[in-house]
Amino acid sequence: MRDLSITQEYLICAVNEKGKISGFSTERLVCLVAAGLLDMELAGAVRLTEKRVEIAGPLPENREYLKSLYLFVKKHNPVKTEKILEEYTYSMSDKRLQMLLDDVGESLAAQGLARLQEGGFFGRKSYVPQREAIRSVVDMVRAELLEDGPVSQEVLILAVLLDKGKISKDYFSKFERQEMAQRFRAIRKTREGQMVDQMVEYIENMIATMTVLMTMFS
Protein backbone atom coordinates (compact mmCIF):
# COMPACT_ATOMS: atom_id res chain seq x y z
CA MET A 1 0.00 0.00 0.00
CA ARG A 2 2.51 2.52 -1.16
CA ASP A 3 0.11 5.43 -0.74
CA LEU A 4 0.66 4.93 2.99
CA SER A 5 3.77 5.84 4.92
CA ILE A 6 6.12 3.42 6.65
CA THR A 7 4.67 4.44 10.04
CA GLN A 8 1.09 3.78 8.95
CA GLU A 9 1.96 0.41 7.42
CA TYR A 10 4.00 -0.57 10.47
CA LEU A 11 1.17 0.28 12.87
CA ILE A 12 -1.31 -1.74 10.79
CA CYS A 13 0.81 -4.83 11.42
CA ALA A 14 2.05 -4.03 14.94
CA VAL A 15 -1.17 -3.66 16.93
CA ASN A 16 -3.20 -6.55 18.32
CA GLU A 17 -6.86 -7.36 17.67
CA LYS A 18 -7.83 -4.55 20.06
CA GLY A 19 -5.72 -1.98 18.24
CA LYS A 20 -3.08 -1.79 20.96
CA ILE A 21 0.60 -2.52 21.42
CA SER A 22 1.37 -4.19 24.73
CA GLY A 23 3.70 -2.25 27.01
CA PHE A 24 5.69 -5.47 27.33
CA SER A 25 6.41 -5.45 23.59
CA THR A 26 9.38 -3.13 23.97
CA GLU A 27 10.77 -3.78 20.51
CA ARG A 28 7.42 -3.02 18.88
CA LEU A 29 7.18 0.30 20.69
CA VAL A 30 10.76 1.28 19.86
CA CYS A 31 10.22 0.40 16.19
CA LEU A 32 7.04 2.50 16.08
CA VAL A 33 9.03 5.55 17.21
CA ALA A 34 11.84 4.60 14.81
CA ALA A 35 9.31 4.39 11.96
CA GLY A 36 8.10 7.91 12.71
CA LEU A 37 11.62 9.32 12.81
CA LEU A 38 12.67 7.52 9.61
CA ASP A 39 9.53 8.71 7.83
CA MET A 40 10.30 12.29 8.82
CA GLU A 41 13.89 11.96 7.63
CA LEU A 42 12.74 10.62 4.26
CA ALA A 43 10.39 13.62 4.08
CA GLY A 44 13.26 16.01 4.83
CA ALA A 45 11.74 17.14 8.14
CA VAL A 46 14.47 15.83 10.46
CA ARG A 47 18.07 14.67 10.23
CA LEU A 48 19.20 11.56 12.07
CA THR A 49 22.67 10.90 13.41
CA GLU A 50 23.88 8.05 15.56
CA LYS A 51 22.85 9.70 18.83
CA ARG A 52 20.78 12.77 17.95
CA VAL A 53 17.79 13.96 15.98
CA GLU A 54 17.55 17.53 14.71
CA ILE A 55 15.08 19.55 12.69
CA ALA A 56 15.98 19.78 9.00
CA GLY A 57 12.84 21.36 7.53
CA PRO A 58 9.06 21.73 7.87
CA LEU A 59 6.81 18.73 8.39
CA PRO A 60 4.88 18.01 5.16
CA GLU A 61 1.09 18.17 5.33
CA ASN A 62 0.83 14.50 4.38
CA ARG A 63 2.76 13.61 7.55
CA GLU A 64 0.56 15.68 9.88
CA TYR A 65 -0.09 12.61 12.05
CA LEU A 66 3.58 12.74 13.11
CA LYS A 67 3.25 16.32 14.33
CA SER A 68 3.46 15.48 18.04
CA LEU A 69 6.77 13.65 17.51
CA TYR A 70 8.05 16.42 15.25
CA LEU A 71 7.17 19.11 17.81
CA PHE A 72 8.91 17.15 20.57
CA VAL A 73 12.10 17.08 18.50
CA LYS A 74 11.67 20.78 17.67
CA LYS A 75 11.22 21.74 21.32
CA HIS A 76 14.49 20.05 22.34
CA ASN A 77 16.30 20.56 19.03
CA PRO A 78 18.71 18.87 18.71
CA VAL A 79 17.52 16.05 20.95
CA LYS A 80 19.31 12.88 21.96
CA THR A 81 17.75 9.67 20.68
CA GLU A 82 18.00 8.38 24.24
CA LYS A 83 15.74 11.19 25.47
CA ILE A 84 13.13 10.40 22.82
CA LEU A 85 13.09 6.76 23.86
CA GLU A 86 12.81 7.68 27.53
CA GLU A 87 9.82 9.94 26.86
CA TYR A 88 8.03 7.66 24.43
CA THR A 89 8.71 4.13 25.63
CA TYR A 90 10.06 4.24 29.18
CA SER A 91 8.26 7.15 30.82
CA MET A 92 6.03 6.93 33.90
CA SER A 93 3.35 8.41 31.65
CA ASP A 94 2.53 7.05 28.20
CA LYS A 95 0.91 10.33 27.15
CA ARG A 96 3.32 11.02 24.29
CA LEU A 97 3.19 7.46 22.98
CA GLN A 98 -0.59 7.38 23.17
CA MET A 99 -0.81 10.63 21.22
CA LEU A 100 1.37 9.17 18.47
CA LEU A 101 -0.72 6.00 18.37
CA ASP A 102 -3.98 7.98 18.27
CA ASP A 103 -2.80 10.33 15.52
CA VAL A 104 -1.52 7.57 13.25
CA GLY A 105 -4.59 5.45 13.98
CA GLU A 106 -6.90 8.34 13.19
CA SER A 107 -5.13 8.91 9.87
CA LEU A 108 -5.87 5.28 8.98
CA ALA A 109 -9.49 5.53 10.09
CA ALA A 110 -9.92 8.60 7.89
CA GLN A 111 -9.06 6.39 4.91
CA GLY A 112 -11.34 3.58 5.99
CA LEU A 113 -8.39 1.35 6.87
CA ALA A 114 -9.11 1.14 10.60
CA ARG A 115 -12.10 1.48 12.89
CA LEU A 116 -12.30 3.44 16.11
CA GLN A 117 -12.80 1.37 19.25
CA GLU A 118 -13.56 3.22 22.47
CA GLY A 119 -13.70 1.88 25.99
CA GLY A 120 -11.35 -0.30 27.96
CA PHE A 121 -10.35 0.01 31.61
CA PHE A 122 -9.13 3.60 31.26
CA GLY A 123 -11.69 4.54 28.63
CA ARG A 124 -8.98 5.04 26.03
CA LYS A 125 -9.72 4.81 22.37
CA SER A 126 -7.81 2.65 19.95
CA TYR A 127 -7.87 1.98 16.22
CA VAL A 128 -8.29 -1.55 14.91
CA PRO A 129 -6.94 -2.07 11.36
CA GLN A 130 -9.28 -3.63 8.82
CA ARG A 131 -8.29 -7.16 7.82
CA GLU A 132 -8.00 -6.08 4.19
CA ALA A 133 -5.54 -3.37 5.19
CA ILE A 134 -3.38 -5.94 6.99
CA ARG A 135 -3.48 -8.31 4.04
CA SER A 136 -2.55 -5.54 1.62
CA VAL A 137 0.54 -4.51 3.59
CA VAL A 138 1.71 -8.08 4.13
CA ASP A 139 1.11 -9.02 0.48
CA MET A 140 3.05 -5.94 -0.64
CA VAL A 141 6.10 -6.92 1.45
CA ARG A 142 5.81 -10.53 0.31
CA ALA A 143 5.55 -9.54 -3.36
CA GLU A 144 8.57 -7.22 -3.35
CA LEU A 145 10.91 -9.36 -1.27
CA LEU A 146 9.93 -12.84 -2.45
CA GLU A 147 9.47 -12.17 -6.15
CA ASP A 148 11.90 -11.01 -8.83
CA GLY A 149 11.96 -7.31 -9.51
CA PRO A 150 12.96 -4.04 -7.84
CA VAL A 151 12.39 -3.51 -4.13
CA SER A 152 11.53 -0.03 -2.90
CA GLN A 153 13.50 1.59 -0.13
CA GLU A 154 10.34 2.01 1.93
CA VAL A 155 9.46 -1.69 1.77
CA LEU A 156 12.99 -2.63 2.81
CA ILE A 157 12.77 -0.35 5.84
CA LEU A 158 9.29 -1.64 6.71
CA ALA A 159 10.53 -5.23 6.49
CA VAL A 160 13.38 -4.42 8.87
CA LEU A 161 11.01 -2.75 11.33
CA LEU A 162 8.71 -5.78 11.25
CA ASP A 163 11.69 -8.05 11.84
CA LYS A 164 13.30 -6.02 14.63
CA GLY A 165 9.89 -5.46 16.21
CA LYS A 166 9.42 -9.24 16.35
CA ILE A 167 6.31 -9.00 14.18
CA SER A 168 7.38 -10.84 11.01
CA LYS A 169 6.68 -14.26 12.51
CA ASP A 170 3.02 -13.26 12.92
CA TYR A 171 2.58 -12.93 9.15
CA PHE A 172 5.32 -14.87 7.36
CA SER A 173 6.35 -18.53 7.49
CA LYS A 174 9.82 -19.54 8.60
CA PHE A 175 10.73 -20.30 4.98
CA GLU A 176 9.48 -16.87 3.84
CA ARG A 177 11.46 -15.11 6.56
CA GLN A 178 14.61 -16.96 5.55
CA GLU A 179 14.09 -16.08 1.89
CA MET A 180 13.45 -12.42 2.71
CA ALA A 181 16.55 -12.28 4.92
CA GLN A 182 18.65 -13.70 2.10
CA ARG A 183 17.26 -11.19 -0.40
CA PHE A 184 17.79 -8.39 2.03
CA ARG A 185 21.43 -9.29 2.68
CA ALA A 186 22.09 -9.22 -1.06
CA ILE A 187 20.45 -5.80 -1.45
CA ARG A 188 22.38 -4.29 1.46
CA LYS A 189 25.65 -5.02 -0.36
CA THR A 190 24.68 -2.88 -3.36
CA ARG A 191 25.20 0.87 -3.67
CA GLU A 192 21.43 1.37 -3.67
CA GLY A 193 21.22 -0.48 -0.38
CA GLN A 194 23.71 1.73 1.46
CA MET A 195 21.14 4.24 2.70
CA VAL A 196 18.87 1.44 3.86
CA ASP A 197 21.87 -0.12 5.57
CA GLN A 198 22.37 3.10 7.54
CA MET A 199 18.73 3.10 8.58
CA VAL A 200 18.95 -0.53 9.68
CA GLU A 201 21.91 0.41 11.86
CA TYR A 202 19.89 3.29 13.30
CA ILE A 203 17.02 0.96 14.25
CA GLU A 204 19.42 -1.53 15.82
CA ASN A 205 21.09 1.26 17.81
CA MET A 206 17.71 2.44 19.11
CA ILE A 207 16.84 -1.05 20.33
CA ALA A 208 20.28 -1.39 21.94
CA THR A 209 19.83 1.98 23.66
CA MET A 210 16.42 0.90 24.97
CA THR A 211 17.96 -2.30 26.34
CA VAL A 212 20.52 -0.23 28.25
CA LEU A 213 17.78 2.05 29.63
CA MET A 214 15.78 -0.95 30.85
CA THR A 215 18.86 -2.28 32.60
CA MET A 216 19.55 1.08 34.26
CA PHE A 217 16.03 1.50 35.60
CA SER A 218 15.30 -2.11 36.51
Side-chain angles (χ1 to χ4, degrees):
M1 300 183 73
R2 276 276 49 97
D3 54 332
L4 298 180
S5 71
I6 295 170
T7 310
Q8 291 172 315
E9 290 167 345
Y10 176 81
L11 187 66
I12 284 174
C13 297
V15 296
N16 60 23
E17 65 278 0
K18 296 182 180 179
K20 299 181 181 296
I21 298 179
S22 170
F24 295 104
S25 303
T26 305
E27 292 86 358
R28 293 195 185 204
L29 295 175
V30 171
C31 285
L32 172 65
V33 178
L37 293 173
L38 291 167
D39 255 335
M40 291 195 294
E41 182 176 58
L42 290 174
V46 303
R47 184 178 299 108
L48 307 179
T49 63
E50 182 179 351
K51 295 183 178 181
R52 293 179 183 273
V53 182
E54 61 183 42
I55 296 297
L59 184 69
E61 289 185 9
N62 63 355
R63 295 293 182 270
E64 185 70 15
Y65 48 84
L66 297 175
K67 186 175 181 179
S68 61
L69 181 58
Y70 177 81
L71 290 178
F72 179 80
V73 174
K74 188 174 183 179
K75 179 179 179 180
H76 303 280
N77 187 44
V79 59
K80 291 183 177 180
T81 304
E82 180 180 325
K83 181 175 180 62
I84 297 175
L85 289 174
E86 286 179 355
E87 290 290 334
Y88 276 83
T89 64
Y90 211 77
S91 172
M92 292 296 290
S93 169
D94 64 351
K95 179 180 178 181
R96 295 189 189 282
L97 179 64
Q98 192 61 46
M99 186 179 298
L100 179 60
L101 284 166
D102 287 347
D103 289 346
V104 179
E106 186 176 345
S107 75
L108 293 171
Q111 299 184 58
L113 300 175
R115 58 178 174 82
L116 173 63
Q117 180 168 295
E118 298 189 70
F121 186 75
F122 294 102
R124 289 180 174 173
K125 61 185 178 181
S126 60
Y127 293 88
V128 182
Q130 302 290 359
R131 290 184 180 276
E132 183 56 38
I134 298 173
R135 282 196 296 268
S136 294
V137 173
V138 172
D139 287 348
M140 176 190 66
V141 175
R142 181 178 285 116
E144 289 206 25
L145 285 175
L146 294 179
E147 298 177 8
D148 293 333
V151 183
S152 68
Q153 184 182 80
E154 289 81 5
V155 166
L156 284 170
I157 295 170
L158 176 61
V160 173
L161 289 166
L162 294 177
D163 177 54
K164 300 301 180 181
K166 298 183 178 180
I167 301 169
S168 292
K169 63 181 183 296
D170 296 341
Y171 300 105
F172 304 101
S173 68
K174 182 178 180 180
F175 174 77
E176 287 177 323
R177 296 198 304 273
Q178 291 173 339
E179 289 293 301
M180 287 191 289
Q182 183 176 344
R183 179 87 185 274
F184 190 75
R185 283 193 295 270
I187 293 172
R188 288 180 68 175
K189 294 178 182 179
T190 66
R191 190 188 335 184
E192 293 77 11
Q194 288 181 355
M195 184 177 180
V196 176
D197 198 49
Q198 293 172 357
M199 292 187 174
V200 171
E201 186 176 347
Y202 186 78
I203 296 167
E204 291 174 340
N205 286 340
M206 285 188 71
I207 293 175
T209 299
M210 192 63 212
T211 302
V212 171
L213 288 174
M214 292 176 66
T215 302
M216 290 173 57
F217 291 102
S218 61

